[in-house]
Amino acid sequence: MSRLTGPLTVGGVIGDVLDMFTPSVKMTVVYNSNMQVNNGFELMPSAVTEPPRVEVIGGDMRTFYTLIMTDPDAPSPSDPTEREYLQWIVTDIPGTTSNSFGSELVSYEIPRPYIGIHRYVFALFQQKGRQTVLPPPSRRHFNTRQFTQYNGLGLPVAAVYFNAQRETAARRR
């Protein structure tokens, strides 16, 4: 288990969402310009209401990427009957830049974990140049593996996830 994929395996991301892969680029995901997503860290839903800035480091301007964000624990981790719930898709992200230059295929949806602790997974896939990536028919029952296979994206080149749970009034203080 590598240092980069170990936390994804321990957190069940590799297995529930992704197959084992070898990271080939570095991806950073930052909310509100100062909250970087780190594997397994908890973020409050109230802090992730706007799409994050996603940067690809180690690519080049001739390489394009697709970013997928899903919740594999919907509606609850003990009964994930909507696994995976699609939160966001951005395509045509040029290497060495942020997602503000990509094309939003499925708009960002605010994480809303109602029951239990949910994982929110960001997976980055290298495209074969600029290509047409077709949108899925629904956010519910999304399947990252099937979607990437259908669109010819292959294995991920980077991934990261955070945990979130429903905020109560006492937790927000």
Side-chain angles (χ1 to χ4, degrees):
M1 189 175 342
S2 89
R3 176 180 63 83
L4 297 173
T5 58
L8 298 169
T9 302
V10 171
V13 171
I14 291 178
D16 287 346
V17 180
L18 305 172
D19 292 325
M20 182 56 77
F21 70 98
T22 301
S24 59
V25 298
K26 183 175 174 17
M27 171 180 64
T28 60
V29 179
V30 180
Y31 280 97
N32 302 322
S33 75
N34 64 353
M35 287 189 323
Q36 183 167 336
V37 173
N38 291 299
N39 286 318
F41 282 35
E42 184 174 358
L43 297 178
M44 298 291 137
S46 60
V48 295
T49 59
E50 297 295 321
R53 186 180 80 248
V54 177
E55 293 188 32
V56 178
I57 302 156
D60 61 58
M61 293 305 285
R62 295 180 309 272
T63 306
F64 295 91
Y65 298 91
T66 293
L67 175 77
I68 298 172
M69 178 186 178
T70 68
D71 172 0
D73 301 315
S76 76
S78 62
D79 189 24
T81 57
E82 294 179 8
R83 175 178 288 167
E84 301 162 52
Y85 187 85
L86 180 62
Q87 300 289 141
W88 195 33
I89 297 180
V90 181
T91 64
D92 294 328
I93 301 170
T96 69
T97 191
S98 71
N99 66 312
S100 59
F101 297 102
S103 178
E104 196 173 58
L105 184 66
V106 176
S107 64
Y108 181 79
E109 186 168 304
I110 300 167
R112 290 186 178 94
Y114 293 111
I115 300 168
I117 298 172
H118 290 237
R119 296 165 294 168
Y120 291 91
V121 179
F122 294 91
L124 188 71
F125 298 86
Q126 184 173 329
Q127 297 175 198
K128 294 178 176 94
R130 283 195 182 259
Q131 69 185 70
T132 301
V133 176
L134 300 174
S138 171
R139 288 182 185 263
R140 288 191 165 107
H141 308 290
F142 181 79
N143 185 299
T144 298
R145 289 179 182 97
Q146 288 176 0
F147 180 81
T148 56
Q149 183 177 20
Y150 181 78
N151 284 287
L153 296 171
L155 291 173
V157 295
V160 67
Y161 79 101
F162 70 90
N163 293 322
Q165 59 185 311
R166 185 175 182 174
E167 291 179 69
T168 62
R171 289 189 71 210
R172 288 188 203 143
R173 292 183 200 163

